[in-house]
Amino acid sequence: MPELLAKVGSAIGLAAVMAKSTLSYYVKGPRCAKWPLWFQLHRDAIHRAIYTKPKGQPTDETIDQIDFDKVAAENRKWDLPASQLPSDIGTYERISIKVSQVQINPVEAFGGTGAAESGLLALSEADRTASGMDREIPAELTVPASLKQPSDATLDVFACRPLADGEKIVLYLHGGAYKFGSAASHRALTGRIANHASVRCVTIDYRLAPLHPYPAQLHDAYTAFWHLVQMGFRAEDIVVAGDSAGGNLALALTVLLRHTGHRTRGLLLLSPWVDLTTERPSIRRNAKYDFLCAPPLESPLNPARTFYAPGRPLSPEMITEMAHPLVSPVYADFAEFPPTLIQAGEKEIIVDEISQLYENIAAHNPGAKRGRYVYECYADMIHVFHQFLDLPDAQYAIAKAGEFIKAL
């Protein structure tokens, strides 16, 4: 009965939000000039669903009382739904990466990586145990409709192997604050990017926090990258891409690969979350526009904290650790970084840190050729607006992302 009442109350509350938003739209006009009514309603519905009132939030004084299994279960209730991929855009197949078959030298790969080192080495060791030997990373391989079919009829486009020498492939890392999302939730987006680029795309289901805290996600992304290499793709032909938390992960993976002297073909970042330590002015400036919202860093349920170290009280030492480039990539050394396209929305709450990322990349590469590093900030758009596929700006940005990959 209490659960039923809660659902009824939630439905009534959502209806009230929708009515208020609709009335405001027709009386005052759209909140932003480029927002159609359906988009404003979607934004308000999502914001209401994820907004957490400050009152009643746990504190570090009560952090030991938090049951992170229940937190994870609650996250699953609000997980992003699977999206559809029309056949005229592409097709996909579920695949899996058997971790034990990916040959990685953990000491060579992860030694000297600071905040990530001990965790990455421990995860590698766990994968060598009897129980870890069977671990797999689920994924989807997308084949775009625009892909030129191989002349050799024996080649299988759904086999994760190159169809020709030098074939490019995208490794996509989905967003969702490291607690939501999947290859399925981003299928419609990744399929469209792949179709515009005429390349295949692998999207992995990396492990999610809080049950799998940092650096499990980085370990999975690194393993997936080397899986592609061992299947025949050259490291320099792999384009790493991601949105939101996946953009954070794409950047961290690129920084980690450079640590061992490996370079990728390029980097595509959609609304990347790049600084887990600092709340910049756009957090407040764009709060009334963006659907994205989260408890402050002081809350144990802040996404940065449930990702990095769930259950650990905040301290200056922890902030310092979270400022490491493999956690907050905005602080990385970007000298001779691979070609990068960054896309963001002017009205998203993390636009200031995204802008700082581009400024840092440009500052580290003063002699870079025009077009090597590109930042596109779309007026009136919000966090990962690309997922709202009917928006003209989303369609344009996705096409530009595909063109960037195709030109690499």
Side-chain angles (χ1 to χ4, degrees), residues 245-263:
N248 174 291
L249 186 53
L251 268 166
L253 173 62
T254 304
V255 172
L256 179 58
L257 288 166
R258 293 178 75 221
H259 172 72
T260 51
H262 297 96
R263 298 185 181 277

Side-chain angles (χ1 to χ4, degrees), residues 52-57:
T52 305
K53 294 181 179 179
K55 186 177 180 181
Q57 278 283 301

Side-chain angles (χ1 to χ4, degrees), residues 47-48 50-60 62 279 293-302:
H47 184 272
R48 186 186 186 280
I50 65 176
Y51 177 71
T52 305
K53 294 181 179 179
K55 186 177 180 181
Q57 278 283 301
T59 65
D60 279 353
T62 59
E279 294 182 348
C293 56
L297 195 59
E298 290 73 24
S299 168
L301 294 183
N302 175 276

Side-chain angles (χ1 to χ4, degrees), residues 29-310:
R31 203 166 303 149
C32 290
K34 299 173 81 171
W35 287 18
L37 175 60
W38 68 263
F39 180 69
Q40 182 163 310
L41 292 175
H42 272 75
R43 177 270 170 202
D44 290 351
I46 298 170
H47 184 272
R48 186 186 186 280
I50 65 176
Y51 177 71
T52 305
K53 294 181 179 179
K55 186 177 180 181
Q57 278 283 301
T59 65
D60 279 353
E61 285 70 32
T62 59
I63 197 169
D64 291 339
Q65 300 173 24
I66 300 175
D67 184 339
F68 285 101
D69 287 326
K70 289 184 177 179
V71 172
E74 190 65 21
N75 290 344
R76 286 192 292 272
K77 289 181 182 179
W78 296 100
D79 205 354
L80 306 175
S83 57
Q84 302 302 311
L85 182 61
S87 59
D88 61 334
I89 293 174
T91 52
Y92 69 92
E93 280 192 5
R94 295 291 296 177
I95 62 173
S96 62
I97 299 168
K98 193 166 180 59
V99 174
S100 63
Q101 295 178 357
V102 182
Q103 302 302 311
I104 295 173
N105 183 327
V107 175
E108 178 184 300
F110 307 136
T113 53
E117 180 176 357
S118 62
L120 289 169
L121 291 174
L123 289 166
S124 296
E125 186 62 31
D127 281 339
R128 296 181 178 184
T129 64
S131 58
M133 290 294 287
D134 293 329
R135 192 171 77 83
E136 297 183 349
I137 301 172
E140 285 188 4
L141 173 60
T142 299
V143 177
S146 63
L147 183 74
K148 183 179 180 180
Q149 295 298 307
S151 56
D152 186 347
T154 64
L155 293 175
D156 182 2
V157 294
F158 287 107
C160 201
R161 296 181 181 277
L163 301 174
D165 185 50
E167 181 191 358
K168 282 181 293 191
I169 192 166
V170 174
L171 174 60
Y172 195 93
L173 305 166
H174 69 79
Y178 283 123
K179 60 181 182 177
F180 300 127
S182 63
S185 68
H186 283 62
R187 187 181 295 147
L189 173 58
T190 55
R192 283 165 172 78
I193 293 172
N195 198 39
H196 281 290
S198 299
V199 299
R200 293 185 292 168
C201 176
V202 172
T203 308
I204 65 168
D205 288 335
Y206 56 79
R207 288 172 284 185
L208 297 175
L211 298 185
H212 300 284
Y214 181 85
Q217 301 76 16
L218 183 55
H219 191 272
D220 285 352
Y222 189 87
T223 302
F225 184 92
W226 283 109
H227 167 74
L228 292 177
V229 172
Q230 291 174 22
M231 294 301 288
F233 293 96
R234 296 183 305 206
E236 58 268 27
D237 289 330
I238 300 173
V239 180
V240 181
D243 66 282
S244 192
N248 174 291
L249 186 53
L251 268 166
L253 173 62
T254 304
V255 172
L256 179 58
L257 288 166
R258 293 178 75 221
H259 172 72
T260 51
H262 297 96
R263 298 185 181 277
T264 62
R265 187 65 165 262
L267 194 58
L268 171 65
L269 305 171
L270 313 181
S271 298
W273 182 25
V274 296
D275 188 354
L276 277 63
T277 67
T278 305
E279 294 182 348
R280 299 168 191 256
S282 56
I283 291 275
R284 291 171 291 280
R285 185 177 72 245
N286 287 337
K288 66 179 180 179
Y289 302 111
D290 205 356
F291 70 83
L292 200 63
C293 56
L297 195 59
E298 290 73 24
S299 168
L301 294 183
N302 175 276
R305 292 181 60 183
T306 58
F307 159 61
Y308 183 71

